[in-house]
Amino acid sequence: MNNMLLLALNIIFLVSGQTLWKMASLGISGSFLRIFYTPYFLAGGILYVLATGIWVYLLSKLPLSYLYPLQSLAYVLGTIIACVIFKEVIPVTRWLGVCVIIFGAYLIAK
């Protein structure tokens, strides 16, 4: 499979895992330890394991100085999910930061 597709999959798994963990944390009342037994938390953990496997494979194929900055696109996707799924209000300055990340990833990939 193409390394860029694998990197995109890695980013999607990371952000999906974080999203599931956020969902798990919203439904917990009482003991914080209960979060570890929710389906959302467990599914998020599985996605993180898959993302880590992809990441290790990619590290064997491409330089860290190339991969790591491109993985910052996870912040972009995370911000979009925060806005769309969790209805968070994202200030203009944060959107400008997201644009800077996108531009930086473009320069790295170029």
Side-chain angles (χ1 to χ4, degrees):
M1 186 182 283
N2 181 320
N3 288 333
M4 290 302 102
L5 289 176
L6 283 174
L7 180 59
L9 191 60
N10 170 264
I11 290 168
I12 290 167
F13 284 172
L14 286 175
V15 176
S16 297
Q18 288 288 330
T19 301
L20 288 167
W21 285 348
K22 172 75 173 175
M23 293 168 75
S25 72
L26 293 175
I28 295 301
S29 60
S31 172
F32 178 73
L33 295 177
R34 296 170 112 191
I35 195 171
F36 298 110
Y37 302 103
T38 65
Y40 288 134
F41 184 84
L42 296 173
I46 290 168
L47 288 175
Y48 253 69
V49 168
L50 294 172
T52 300
I54 292 169
W55 183 248
V56 171
Y57 172 80
L58 288 171
L59 286 172
S60 75
K61 301 296 179 190
L62 297 168
L64 179 63
S65 63
Y66 177 77
L67 283 173
Y68 208 68
L70 290 180
Q71 197 179 42
S72 69
L73 291 171
Y75 301 129
V76 174
L77 184 56
T79 303
I80 292 168
I81 285 177
C83 182
V84 173
I85 293 179
F86 299 111
K87 308 297 185 216
E88 294 181 15
V89 176
I90 313 297
V92 173
T93 53
R94 202 166 301 154
W95 284 119
L96 289 173
V98 165
C99 290
V100 170
I101 291 170
I102 293 169
F103 183 64
Y106 165 76
L107 291 176
I108 297 293
K110 188 176 173 184

